[in-house]
Amino acid sequence: MSASLSTTPGAPFGTAIVVGASSGIGESMVRKLAAGGTRVAAIARRKSELDRIESSVQLPAGGAGKVIGYAHDVRDYDATPALFDRIVQDLGGCDLIVYNAGVMPRIEESEYDFTKDREMIEVNLLAAMCWLNLASAHMEAQRKGTICGISSVAGDRGRRGNPAYHTSKAGLTTYLEALRNRLSRYGVSVVTVKPGPVDTPMTKGLKLPLMIGVDQAADGALALMRSGAAEGYVPAVWGPIMWVIRNVPSVLFRRTNI
Ligand SMILES: NC(=O)c1ccc[n+]([C@@H]2O[C@H](COP(=O)([O-])OP(=O)(O)OC[C@H]3O[C@@H](n4cnc5c(N)ncnc54)[C@H](OP(=O)(O)O)[C@@H]3O)[C@@H](O)[C@H]2O)c1
């Protein structure tokens, strides 16, 4: 299957699941994968947005590539195993899974809100474990596949602005590293993507440095998945920036607002 596909972004994957696919980076990845000939399962809560993507996606000539939307709340953990099995059946396999679902509610300087924190941990981390455990077992058994998690530069340090968001992304980064250490011996790649700020509904109204567009973010993420890299920053300039930020001593870091 994959050998017949062209070399446009996403093309090496015959089948893919994108969790968190109804807007922003996830929507752009779905469109690019399908345009490259991949059969894509697009998962999110907003069915109307999934229908919009399904009906407007540009597919290559010759019948390759498609998008099938599945409405699902990733916090419905009990429903996930049956949905995963159904999708694998519908697509005819699972070569790639991208866990991209995420939330980042606004948190005030002195706000400590467990309801918001819980949603971030559940959507950004716990549900990632639920989906990626299923994908790991499937790919370990088939001895191939690619697992990708959309983490963030935010996971590299515990910054003061949104403690639970940073924690959720740090947890996701560590979980992905552990999966990689388990699965590489079975021929399964696990890729951690760490975008800097991206102009999406999540960041609407925020003034953030070095903001990029969704298509650049999706292209960067897909290039990392195709390359089989263990992890990478998008864009790459965040690599050296985060190296510096990671190495600022804690006693100094707490006096800054970065
Ligand atoms: N934007 C940035 O600057 C930036 C930077 C670094 C990393 N990231 C990460 O990139 C990923 C994509 O974010 P984005 O910026 O593209 O934001 P976005 O447009 O808000 O996309 C978030 C996606 O997650 C889905 N989602 C949220 N809660 C869900 C739930 N309970 N069940 C199922 N799906 C759910 C949303 O779908 P529904 O609402 O339809 O369910 C949507 O498809 C996130 O993990 C985010 O943390 C973003």
Side-chain angles (χ1 to χ4, degrees):
M1 174 75 200
S2 48
S4 64
L5 296 169
S6 72
T7 54
T8 48
F13 304 109
T15 53
I17 300 174
V18 179
V19 185
S22 57
S23 59
I25 304 166
E27 174 179 352
S28 182
M29 287 190 289
V30 167
R31 290 185 184 280
K32 288 170 188 290
L33 283 161
T38 303
R39 299 191 297 285
V40 188
I43 296 161
R45 289 167 300 181
R46 288 170 295 167
K47 181 76 170 72
S48 57
E49 295 305 299
L50 297 174
D51 289 345
R52 172 182 60 78
I53 296 165
E54 242 181 282
S55 61
S56 61
V57 71
Q58 307 244 313
L59 300 176
K66 77 172 162 188
V67 175
I68 312 175
Y70 298 84
H72 168 73
D73 186 326
V74 294
R75 293 167 297 178
D76 190 355
Y77 311 114
D78 290 343
T80 309
L83 179 58
F84 180 82
D85 288 346
R86 187 178 135 210
I87 290 171
V88 171
Q89 186 129 30
D90 291 350
L91 295 180
C94 177
D95 301 323
L96 168 69
I97 183 164
V98 185
Y99 193 88
N100 171 76
V103 290
M104 188 184 72
R106 302 291 180 267
I107 305 286
E108 298 300 325
E109 177 78 21
S110 293
E111 183 180 5
Y112 300 93
D113 183 327
F114 181 69
T115 304
K116 290 181 183 176
D117 290 352
R118 178 177 175 161
E119 186 188 9
M120 285 185 269
I121 297 298
E122 291 210 8
V123 174
N124 304 0
L125 179 58
L126 264 187
M129 292 178 176
C130 186
W131 275 93
L132 300 185
N133 279 353
L134 293 162
S136 294
H138 178 83
M139 291 182 184
E140 180 180 315
Q142 73 183 10
R143 298 292 196 263
K144 62 180 176 163
T146 300
I147 291 171
C148 175
I150 306 299
S151 188
S152 172
V153 294
D156 279 12
R157 220 55 227 240
R159 283 151 53 203
R160 65 197 223 189
N162 192 335
Y165 185 75
H166 294 288
T167 303
S168 71
K169 292 300 185 180
L172 180 61
T173 297
T174 301
Y175 169 72
L176 291 165
E177 182 187 16
L179 282 190
R180 181 178 312 117
N181 293 340
R182 276 192 167 198
L183 292 170
S184 59
R185 76 199 65 181
Y186 300 110
V188 178
S189 305
V190 180
V191 185
T192 306
V193 176
K194 296 180 178 180
V198 184
D199 186 8
T200 70
M202 181 180 276
T203 53
K204 195 162 190 269
L206 297 179
K207 285 196 171 44
L208 298 167
L210 300 175
M211 183 88 95
I212 60 170
V214 278
D215 286 335
Q216 188 181 345
D219 281 337
L222 289 167
L224 286 167
M225 292 173 223
R226 288 199 316 277
S227 74
E231 71 168 43
Y233 292 90
V234 176
V237 69
W238 282 102
I241 294 172
M242 292 315 296
W243 185 87
V244 172
I245 290 177
R246 278 198 313 276
N247 285 289
V248 176
S250 185
V251 68
L252 295 178
F253 194 68
R254 74 189 62 150
R255 292 167 203 231
T256 70
N257 195 18
I258 51 175

